[in-house]
Amino acid sequence: MRQLKRIATILLVCLPCLLPLASAAGVSAVYEIFTGSYRDSNGDGIGDLNGIVSKLDYIQALGVDGVWLTPVSPSPSYHKYDVADYTDIDPDFGTLADFDALAGACEARGITLVFDLVVNHTSSEHPWFASAVESLQNGDLSDPYIDYYQFTQGKGDCPVEGTDWYYAAGFDEGMPELNLDNPAVREEIKAIAAFWLSRGVGGFRLDAVTHYYDAQSQSNIDFLEWLDKTVKEIDTEAFLVGEAWTDGVTILELYKSGIDALFNFPMSSTGSLSKAMRSESGQSFAGGIVAWRQDIAAVNPDAVAAPFLGNHDQGRISGVLVLDQQMEKQAAALYLLSPGVPFLYYGEEIGMTGSGDDPNKRLPMLWSVTEQTGVCLPPEGATQAQRLQTGADEQENDPDSLLNFYRSVLEFRNQYPLFVDGSAEVVETGDTRLGAFTLTDGEQTILIAYNFSHDEALFMPSSGTLLAVFDTGDMQSEQTDGGMMIAPRSTVVWALP
Ligand code: CA
């Protein structure tokens, strides 16, 4: 292969579509934002909802059509996964009016807002819990809020001061577990969902679904089924994605609930994707994602996969891939061109770093290395500095940047809704380093092939028209008489007749 001048991506087909085409799931690619670290609009150093509004051009140019906000409701913590008031906005992040403005701006751009629904537990500062505790301390067992939680006498996770009562709290003492069997609690959850749907939310990310009923798989499925039905009775188009940080078998079981998607945790972070990259096992990786798509379809034909590289609870993928930009580009192409609705974690698209304690995984978005306006202060408890040396502004002007690679792949992907919910089949390559599969929606079929090796590798598609090449390094994939010589760690896509 000749060493040609460095061209990151050649797009042979470029339809004039800024917005992704609609898919059956209603959303095609979602961007996860921790609001407090994204963009500060008022100079207090904390990211806020108005800051997100000011960056919607950037978000839309990335090529996503969904934004998942980690919790934004009032909470005593910086991360806000312990909610003290389900129908308001934390003053750190803004006001309900700001939320309405964000929802309106998203709607005008065709961006679906995905709200983080945290109903496994509340904050210990929630008025329901405060009332229950006070009543128990007064010996008044008639308080209906006592049955909102899981109080037991004699033993339990956390003691209620001054009593022999205890309460269940799987995460920590500040997060008492709700009693999801109580019809009154379910009515509250229904009202919370209705409240946010009425304010323009288009879907929910469901926090900690395996903890609803710890170690009781069927109860979790039943509750998710109720939640799915309840939300879709209010809005049939709502999109529900569940967080089950567990093995593939358990995740597949949860797909029986009817929710639209569950995050593919086994593929993320240090899981199967980065492992396959390291061992150059392209064939087995392709086999894995095809099997995952087929397994989901067998459980629920309307459900989709939700591939991702990392989220706010995981060390950033750039660290997993030892800050090797070629590997970061390959990882991006691999999951963005996988079946399902991919979820991008803010900053991933520019290669931000962060690992260890949670605040380090949620460091401020690096908009620019020179311009500090709007850049947030690190969250409480962060101990690491950002190791990335070029911000989003600088990368916009560099055609070889990671940011522009993400944009190219997403722009291409958005032309083909079958990436979300098409049927997948493995294509044999005869080379363990080469993975290949087809996706079809019955009318259109595309073939995706990638080279996991650090050397070039030859792949011969049986037929097809070349659609796109996503090269990740200095070498360029090349059509030869013997087939397509795929550059190291690069991806090629064809349309099949
Ligand atoms: Ca602010």
Side-chain angles (χ1 to χ4, degrees), residues 36 39-49 51 91-94 376:
R39 181 80 182 182
D40 174 24
S41 72
N42 60 356
D44 67 358
I46 305 172
D48 45 55
L49 298 177
D92 283 351
F93 294 168
C376 305

Side-chain angles (χ1 to χ4, degrees), residues 201-234:
V201 159
F204 295 102
R205 177 265 186 186
L206 310 174
D207 184 55
V209 306
T210 53
H211 297 274
Y212 289 155
Y213 297 84
D214 282 292
Q216 293 180 59
S217 184
Q218 189 56 48
S219 298
N220 289 328
I221 296 169
D222 294 345
F223 181 76
L224 280 175
E225 192 176 347
W226 171 83
L227 193 52
D228 186 63
K229 187 167 151 280
T230 299
V231 168
K232 285 172 185 167
E233 275 172 7
I234 304 166

Side-chain angles (χ1 to χ4, degrees), residues 219-283:
S219 298
N220 289 328
I221 296 169
D222 294 345
F223 181 76
L224 280 175
E225 192 176 347
W226 171 83
L227 193 52
D228 186 63
K229 187 167 151 280
T230 299
V231 168
K232 285 172 185 167
E233 275 172 7
I234 304 166
D235 179 358
T236 52
E237 303 290 306
F239 175 78
L240 293 183
V241 56
E243 181 216 14
W245 196 348
T246 182
D247 59 276
V249 172
T250 307
I251 294 171
L252 270 183
E253 282 284 300
L254 293 165
Y255 267 103
K256 290 178 181 168
S257 65
I259 67 170
D260 302 277
L262 286 136
F263 293 114
N264 186 349
F265 273 92
M267 179 174 140
S268 69
S269 185
T270 55
S272 60
L273 185 143
S274 57
K275 279 201 181 88
M277 286 175 68
R278 221 167 261 125
S279 60
E280 304 191 358
S281 308
Q283 198 169 42

Side-chain angles (χ1 to χ4, degrees), residues 9-32:
T9 305
I10 312 160
L11 279 177
L12 300 176
V13 174
C14 197
L15 298 179
C17 60
L18 189 63
L19 272 180
L21 299 174
S23 73
V27 65
S28 299
V30 181
Y31 190 56
E32 178 193 356

Side-chain angles (χ1 to χ4, degrees), residues 274 277-278 321-322 324-332 472 489:
S274 57
M277 286 175 68
R278 221 167 261 125
L321 301 176
V322 295
D324 178 328
Q325 196 183 82
Q326 186 170 15
M327 291 186 83
E328 288 173 61
K329 286 180 175 176
Q330 186 194 15
T472 59
R489 302 202 175 285

